[in-house]
């Protein structure tokens, strides 16, 4: 299986209804394609992990990459995996506020322009994502 982690910036801020529509489509497609993962949204920025069969993950990421609702993609990690980290979720979701970010966590959204400083982007992204999974 393949796991991808990326950040992107919304072309325009998403309304609650737009986020819900996006999630509905994503969950429907991901369930069909055996893809799991998690999506965080904060102030116009997305952080997403996609995991599943390699062909399906690459096809989904290609579709997401053509979506004009967001851009400025930065791929944080691409890894082959044996075990899913988000196996319960066709696409877990949290809308995050700055105040909610757990203390001591790397603030991924603020660090998007200095991501090359990260020693292990995958570990740090998962640490960040799983913090929100625990409080979801
Ligand atoms: P369609 O049936 O063609 O579209 C479903 C609905 O989505 C439409 O009715 C419309 O309301 C809306 N929509 C689709 N494209 C646009 C657009 N360009 N502008 C405005 N509204 C639009 N897709 C996945 O399958 N899995 C994912 O995990 C996933 N994650 C995403 C994460 C982000 C941050 C973003 C921005 C998009 C994501 N998408 C994901 C959506 C993806 O980009 C495609 O829009 C979607 O996969 C198209 O699927 P479809 O052909 O079944 O949808």
């Amino acid at each position: 299986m393949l796991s991808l982690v990326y950040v992107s910036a919304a072309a325009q801020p998403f309304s609650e209804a737009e986020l819900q529509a996006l999630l509905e489509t994503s969950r429907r497609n991901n369930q069909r394609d055996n893809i799991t993962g998690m999506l965080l949204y904060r102030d116009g920025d997305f952080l997403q992990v996609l995991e599943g069969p390699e062909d399906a993950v690459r096809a989904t990421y290609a579709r997401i990459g053509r979506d004009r609702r967001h851009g400025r993609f930065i791929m944080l990690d691409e890894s082959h995996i044996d075990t899913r980290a988000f196996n319960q979720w066709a696409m877990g979701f949290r809308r995050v506020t700055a105040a909610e970010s757990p203390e001591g966590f790397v603030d991924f959204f603020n660090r998007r322009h200095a991501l090359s400083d990260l020693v292990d982007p995958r570990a740090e992204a998962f640490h960040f994502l799983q913090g929100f999974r625990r409080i979801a």
Side-chain angles (χ1 to χ4, degrees), residues 6 8 14 21-22 25-26 28-30 32 39 46 48 50 60 63-64 67-70 91:
Y6 74 88
S8 67
F14 275 58
L22 170 64
T25 304
S26 300
R28 185 187 65 227
N29 289 346
N30 294 353
R32 177 195 67 203
L39 178 68
F46 292 103
Q48 187 175 35
L50 296 164
T60 298
R63 216 164 55 232
I64 293 171
D67 192 324
R68 295 192 173 182
R69 290 175 288 178
H70 64 159
M91 190 48 61

Side-chain angles (χ1 to χ4, degrees), residues 93-114:
F93 175 73
R94 279 296 303 265
R95 179 197 277 272
V96 176
T97 62
E100 261 185 313
S101 297
E103 203 177 327
F105 276 61
V106 169
D107 188 340
F108 253 87
F109 295 108
N110 281 342
R111 295 200 50 170
R112 53 180 301 133
H113 298 299

Side-chain angles (χ1 to χ4, degrees), residues 59-99:
T60 298
Y61 184 67
R63 216 164 55 232
I64 293 171
R66 288 192 297 269
D67 192 324
R68 295 192 173 182
R69 290 175 288 178
H70 64 159
R72 293 198 282 140
F73 291 81
I74 302 172
M75 181 61 76
L76 293 175
D77 183 66
E78 180 175 326
S79 294
H80 289 278
I81 54 167
D82 294 324
T83 312
R84 294 173 189 263
F86 299 92
N87 60 339
Q88 303 298 320
W89 288 349
M91 190 48 61
F93 175 73
R94 279 296 303 265
R95 179 197 277 272
V96 176
T97 62

